[in-house]
Amino acid sequence: MSKAQGSTTLWNYFSRHSPRVRRKRGVLPTSSEMPGIPFLPFSILQGILGVLCVGLTGFWGQHWLGGFAWDGSSEMFNWHPVLMVTGMLVLYGSAALVYRVPFSWERPKLPWKLLHAALTLVAFILVILGLVAVFEFHNKKKIPNMYSLHSWLGLTAVLLFSCQWIMGFASFLLPWAPIWLRALYKPIHVFFGSAILSLVLAACISGINEKLFFRLTNSTTPYSKLPAEAWFANFLGMLILIYGLLVLWALALPAWKRPDVNSQDIQEPLLQEAR
């Protein structure tokens, strides 16, 4: 297939799945629920924002916080925000949007289930490493653990995320859960997906603010004077907020939800689909 033919095919595919065509097919209930932009450019924008969130977090750690190490020092702590933003925000947000990809609507759902599970599993591994980084630093420096609101929010998000992954894997990818249980759990799974991401946003923003207060309270240029680091970290926090809110917005749009034809995701777990 030539490049021109490939571009035409891709354009025709997204044209067939545009809001107007889907509304004619009866998939979309009302025109008032139409998103302002197609999913493809939205996903590109989200990808750019996600890379910026991770990259700027890493730049903050390298440029202002002293770099990175894995020895219990403050440089080891710097891995904590990078790993948490990468895992709990960007990868988790990407995994939440997997079923919004138009290519998945007319194809078997199994590959997308596996991709969703794999992304969240990688996110979980990064989160565990991020927790190791912060606890090792605290223990070596004799700093108390789990005393701040940031730590409470973060650990709550991680615990819910762990339960979410285990329950989702057991309910939708393994054959022993009955159909009625899958049907009952699915809306709960969807709700907690958005709830966990909201907790992640709160933990990220409070963590940035907490770090700035620790670093700049007794400095020659206090936080209230907005030195360059404060400007940068505040901007990073706003960028993280925008990324998370856009994910939540996309999840809430009925027009971008995968058509639930015959509820195959409820009736067909992994082992049954594989046979």
Side-chain angles (χ1 to χ4, degrees):
M1 181 183 293
S2 66
K3 183 177 181 181
Q5 289 174 329
S7 301
T8 302
T9 302
L10 184 63
W11 172 257
N12 289 337
Y13 181 86
F14 280 99
S15 296
R16 291 197 308 270
H17 292 84
S18 66
R20 179 178 298 176
V21 173
R22 293 182 69 199
R23 184 167 64 252
K24 288 181 179 179
R25 292 176 179 176
V27 175
L28 302 182
T30 62
S31 60
S32 63
E33 295 172 344
M34 297 302 102
I37 58 175
F39 182 81
L40 181 59
F42 172 83
S43 63
I44 294 173
L45 173 63
Q46 281 297 96
I48 294 172
L49 289 176
V51 170
L52 283 175
C53 287
V54 175
L56 293 181
T57 304
F59 181 80
W60 185 24
Q62 183 65 44
H63 184 72
W64 275 290
L65 304 182
F68 299 92
W70 199 264
D71 55 5
S73 64
S74 58
E75 287 76 21
M76 182 175 179
F77 170 86
N78 294 339
W79 281 111
H80 173 70
V82 174
L83 292 170
M84 289 304 194
V85 168
T86 304
M88 283 297 288
L89 180 73
V90 177
L91 285 181
Y92 184 68
S94 300
L97 294 178
V98 159
Y99 297 122
R100 302 303 190 267
V101 178
F103 287 121
S104 72
W105 295 340
E106 293 182 353
R107 288 168 170 77
K109 199 170 185 179
L110 175 59
W112 303 95
K113 283 185 179 183
L114 295 176
L115 178 59
H116 179 80
L119 286 173
T120 50
L121 179 60
V122 173
F124 180 72
I125 293 172
L126 295 181
V127 166
I128 294 301
L129 292 174
L131 291 178
V132 170
V134 68
F135 281 115
E136 283 291 319
F137 166 70
H138 279 193
N139 293 338
K140 186 171 182 178
K141 299 295 183 181
K142 309 300 181 183
I143 299 174
N145 291 307
M146 301 304 302
Y147 65 89
S148 67
L149 178 59
H150 162 69
S151 63
W152 289 16
L153 289 169
L155 189 61
T156 301
V158 171
L159 291 176
L160 288 176
F161 173 52
S162 304
C163 295
Q164 176 90 332
W165 196 93
I166 294 171
M167 287 296 298
F169 183 82
S171 299
F172 302 121
L173 291 178
L174 295 180
W176 54 61
I179 293 177
W180 67 264
L181 180 60
R182 296 187 196 116
L184 178 66
Y185 177 63
K186 183 178 179 180
I188 299 174
H189 187 79
V190 172
F191 167 78
F192 274 102
S194 297
I196 291 168
L197 186 59
S198 300
L199 281 172
V200 169
L201 289 178
C204 287
I205 293 171
S206 61
I208 290 172
N209 198 241
E210 181 180 297
K211 186 65 175 178
L212 287 175
F213 274 116
F214 283 156
R215 282 182 51 77
L216 301 177
T217 297
N218 296 320
S219 67
T220 55
T221 308
Y223 191 12
S224 60
K225 299 295 184 181
L226 276 180
E229 182 181 359
W231 274 104
F232 181 88
N234 285 350
F235 174 80
L236 173 60
M238 294 300 297
L239 193 67
I240 287 172
L241 179 64
I242 292 171
Y243 177 89
L245 290 179
L246 285 177
V247 172
L248 293 173
W249 177 72
L251 292 176
L253 281 175
W256 281 352
K257 291 182 179 179
R258 176 189 171 101
D260 196 11
V261 180
N262 297 325
S263 299
Q264 291 181 353
D265 58 321
I266 294 175
Q267 298 179 15
E268 299 180 0
L270 172 62
L271 297 184
Q272 289 181 7
E273 286 183 305
R275 286 200 293 264

